[in-house]
Amino acid sequence: MRILALNYRDRTHPMAGGAEVHLHKIFEKLIELGHSVMLFTTNYKINSQLSTLNSQLKKRAPEREIIDGIQIIRCGGDLLFPMNCALKIPKLIEEFKPDIIYEDLNKLPLFSPYITKIPKLIQILHLWKSSIFKEASFPVAFGVWLGEKIIPLVYKNCYFSTISPSGKKELAELGIAKERISVIYCGTKSEYLETEKIRDKSLYFLWLGRFRKYKGVWVAFEAFKIFSKKHPDVKLLFAGSGPEEAKMKAKAKKCGLENKIEFLGIVSEEKKTELMSKALGLLQTSFKEGWGLTVIEAGACGTASVASDVSGLCDSVKDGETGLLFKAGDAADCAKKMEILCENASLRGVLESAAKNYAASFSWENAAKETLFLMQNIIESKGV
């Protein structure tokens, strides 16, 4: 099978996130099975130092590159990407001759049904809904919100794939027919599952991800302020980067928490595994997630999570069984759940074991095979 994928990012993009991890994990497995994949995406700037001039030159990523076996085609930036899709996709179809189009709809719609009649699978990790107004300026947020409202009209004859039952429910409420929506769960790395469960945890909670408002970084910060009054020996480690980082560092210093809150930056896979394994718990404080890959990864490493009770996370965290859910945006409730994990070692051990077993039930191999089966059925249903 020949698959033409559309996404605003590839995994090397500086702003890449869970959607790009998902895309690359799925398609590198399909390539291993003998299928061909081309990804049309945006370009981005690479900073490189020119020591001879003692200045900085901003270069762009290669227009064509192979990553994980995927043929990457880059063109333009975010703002013009929908227009570039309309202009470039017919030529890419002529060159690549795809059997199916895979549109990863995680920002604005790319309107692929209006570009070609080739069968399509529309992948949606989650809907932003009103949470986009927590992250972006009003004009941008309104554009994304409106873009989601027109999805049933633009893609009315398409089939959809999402990654959680709550995600399917949201799509159905938006107006997509349930019979056209498939749930295909994300996988987890076997390397995480192979880590031994640590009984004597280190005294810290871990927050892992991009420092953005909708990710709830400030909820985690405020929750730790409350929690720390009773547990002064416990730390909060932030791993990752993002636009809120500088403000958070300044706030930590202002609040006298600079010795209790550590900012680790972007960490290696090896360090990430170590951090997840030793943590008292993972904090997942996002206002919106499609699934919650980090809580599954932490669970695979033998660590339970304290997570927002929102779409996606309410599926990846089984409340009271593999972790604890708190009311989204409620720092005081989050702090209470942190206290439970910290103070009740017996309960924490039960949650950790269940979280590891739950994580073991997901694999990228299964996700890739289910995606392939769905695409084959879509092609057959179109009589191709």
Side-chain angles (χ1 to χ4, degrees):
M1 182 183 296
R2 302 175 71 82
I3 306 158
L4 174 57
L6 312 175
N7 192 336
Y8 276 80
R9 312 268 190 262
D10 66 83
R11 71 169 177 81
T12 65
H13 196 290
M15 297 296 290
E20 290 69 45
V21 171
H22 177 271
L23 185 147
H24 278 261
K25 288 293 184 183
I26 294 292
F27 287 125
E28 69 177 330
K29 295 298 181 184
L30 293 185
I31 288 168
E32 290 173 4
L33 294 174
H35 303 280
S36 299
V37 181
M38 175 185 283
L39 170 62
F40 184 59
T41 186
T42 60
N43 209 319
Y44 58 90
K45 292 180 179 179
I46 304 173
N47 294 338
S48 63
Q49 296 294 328
L50 292 179
S51 57
T52 55
L53 298 178
N54 193 29
S55 63
Q56 193 176 74
L57 175 67
K58 291 186 176 180
K59 300 192 299 185
R60 302 194 74 80
E63 291 184 1
R64 290 190 176 232
E65 187 176 8
I66 295 178
I67 302 175
D68 303 326
I70 302 170
Q71 299 180 54
I72 309 291
I73 312 293
R74 300 186 180 99
C75 180
D78 285 2
L79 186 61
L80 297 179
F81 190 56
M83 184 180 73
N84 283 330
C85 283
L87 294 174
K88 303 291 185 179
I89 286 177
K91 295 180 180 179
L92 293 177
I93 289 173
E94 185 177 349
E95 172 189 345
F96 188 60
K97 296 179 174 56
D99 300 297
I100 191 167
I101 304 291
Y102 177 101
E103 181 179 336
D104 204 331
L105 206 169
N106 58 69
K107 292 175 180 63
L108 292 175
L110 299 176
F111 300 95
S112 59
Y114 297 150
I115 301 172
T116 175
K117 293 183 179 180
I118 291 174
K120 298 163 195 70
L121 172 60
I122 311 303
Q123 174 71 50
I124 297 185
L125 300 191
H126 67 79
L127 294 173
W128 283 95
K129 301 176 75 174
S130 61
S131 67
I132 188 61
F133 292 95
K134 298 180 183 295
E135 179 61 31
S137 62
F138 181 81
V140 174
F142 182 75
V144 173
W145 178 84
L146 183 61
E148 289 186 346
K149 293 296 183 182
I150 65 174
I151 287 174
L153 175 63
V154 175
Y155 300 91
K156 61 181 178 180
N157 295 320
C158 294
Y159 290 87
F160 290 75
S161 175
T162 191
I163 55 178
S164 68
S166 53
K168 179 175 181 176
K169 181 181 177 182
E170 286 190 343
L171 284 174
E173 289 173 347
L174 185 65
I176 307 299
K178 288 183 178 180
E179 61 270 18
R180 287 184 173 268
I181 309 169
S182 298
V183 176
I184 300 177
Y185 293 104
C186 297
T188 191
K189 287 186 177 181
S190 59
E191 294 89 336
Y192 295 145
L193 293 167
E194 291 167 2
T195 58
E196 292 190 11
K197 185 171 173 292
I198 297 176
R199 292 183 179 277
D200 297 322
K201 295 281 190 172
S202 298
L203 293 179
Y204 67 82
F205 281 88
L206 175 66
W207 192 98
L208 180 66
R210 289 176 291 165
F211 296 174
R212 304 188 73 94
K213 292 178 183 178
Y214 86 92
K215 289 289 186 179
V217 285
W218 290 107
V219 176
F221 188 100
E222 294 299 325
F224 182 72
K225 276 179 58 180
I226 298 169
F227 169 85
S228 186
K229 294 176 182 178
K230 189 175 179 180
H231 300 279
D233 295 333
V234 180
K235 291 186 175 183
L236 174 59
L237 308 186
F238 282 100
S241 66
E244 298 298 307
E245 184 175 358
K247 295 178 184 177
M248 293 177 68
K249 287 180 177 179
K251 186 68 177 291
K253 186 175 182 179
K254 183 179 179 180
C255 295
L257 295 172
E258 65 268 33
N259 295 323
K260 296 181 181 181
I261 298 179
E262 295 184 17
F263 296 88
L264 307 178
I266 298 174
V267 298
S268 65
E269 278 296 307
E270 183 179 1
K271 183 64 175 178
K272 177 181 171 182
T273 303
E274 178 188 349
L275 289 169
M276 290 192 296
S277 299
K278 294 181 178 179
L280 287 171
L282 178 81
L283 298 186
Q284 222 304 4
T285 51
S286 182
F287 289 95
K288 173 61 63 172
E289 289 293 330
W291 171 239
L293 190 57
T294 54
V295 303
I296 297 298
E297 292 174 341
C301 292
T303 295
S305 295
V306 174
S308 304
D309 189 4
V310 296
S311 178
L313 291 174
C314 65
D315 298 310
S316 57
V317 176
K318 294 184 175 181
D319 190 29
E321 184 177 339
T322 67
L324 301 173
L325 296 176
F326 70 92
K327 185 179 179 181
D330 190 332
D333 192 27
C334 179
K336 287 180 183 179
K337 302 303 167 62
M338 291 168 68
E339 286 187 3
I340 292 173
L341 279 191
C342 183
E343 296 173 358
N344 195 332
S346 177
L347 173 62
R348 188 176 70 240
V350 172
L351 296 176
E352 290 167 349
S353 295
K356 195 171 186 72
N357 290 334
Y358 187 48
S361 67
F362 304 104
S363 77
W364 287 114
E365 289 80 5
N366 286 344
K369 290 177 181 178
E370 289 176 20
T371 301
L372 176 62
F373 181 72
L374 176 58
M375 288 191 292
Q376 288 172 333
N377 283 344
I378 291 171
I379 292 171
E380 290 176 6
S381 71
K382 297 296 183 179
V384 179

